[in-house]
Amino acid sequence: METKLVTLKRVQIACQGVALLGVLVGLGAIVCMVWELTDFFMLQGRLYTMLPEEQLAVLSEEASELPEEVIVPAIVGAVALLGSLLTGLSALVMTCIPCRKTDCD
């Protein structure tokens, strides 16, 4: 019985899978961030009924909770997209490495 070790082809496939997963998580986090920013700036339609002077006061009151609702998804999205970039680049580099017949099976 012959056991197969980790081959270059399997590592490439794993890197591409992690890159795809990172892109999906990153895009989901960025969509969440944009959703929260939209809620913040629209304030459920209340801003359209106010004068510009009143809008500034309401926005400054609501801005206290903005960092945890917007910055956390932005950081998660940036880390996920950076990880997918690195794993995608490593998969690209591995495709350029010449391999022996036994390593690529």
Side-chain angles (χ1 to χ4, degrees):
M1 184 167 138
E2 182 181 320
T3 59
K4 288 199 170 197
L5 298 174
V6 176
T7 61
L8 189 62
K9 187 176 186 179
R10 289 183 184 185
V11 173
Q12 289 173 350
I13 292 171
C15 284
Q16 291 170 355
V18 170
L20 181 63
L21 183 66
V23 167
L24 293 176
V25 168
L27 289 177
I30 289 175
V31 165
C32 180
M33 179 194 70
V34 170
W35 187 275
E36 291 295 330
L37 277 174
T38 304
D39 284 347
F40 171 70
F41 284 117
M42 295 304 161
L43 293 174
Q44 290 82 27
R46 290 187 303 174
L47 287 181
Y48 295 119
T49 61
M50 297 179 190
L51 295 172
E53 298 83 27
E54 297 171 343
Q55 290 178 357
L56 185 60
V58 171
L59 284 174
S60 64
E61 289 174 13
E62 296 285 331
S64 64
E65 61 196 41
L66 185 66
E68 65 185 37
E69 292 178 353
V70 174
I71 293 178
V72 172
I75 291 172
V76 169
V79 168
L81 290 174
L82 181 65
S84 68
L85 175 71
L86 292 176
T87 55
L89 284 176
S90 64
L92 179 68
V93 167
M94 282 187 269
T95 58
C96 297
I97 297 173
C99 59
R100 296 185 304 253
K101 177 70 175 149
T102 59
D103 290 341
C104 294
D105 292 335

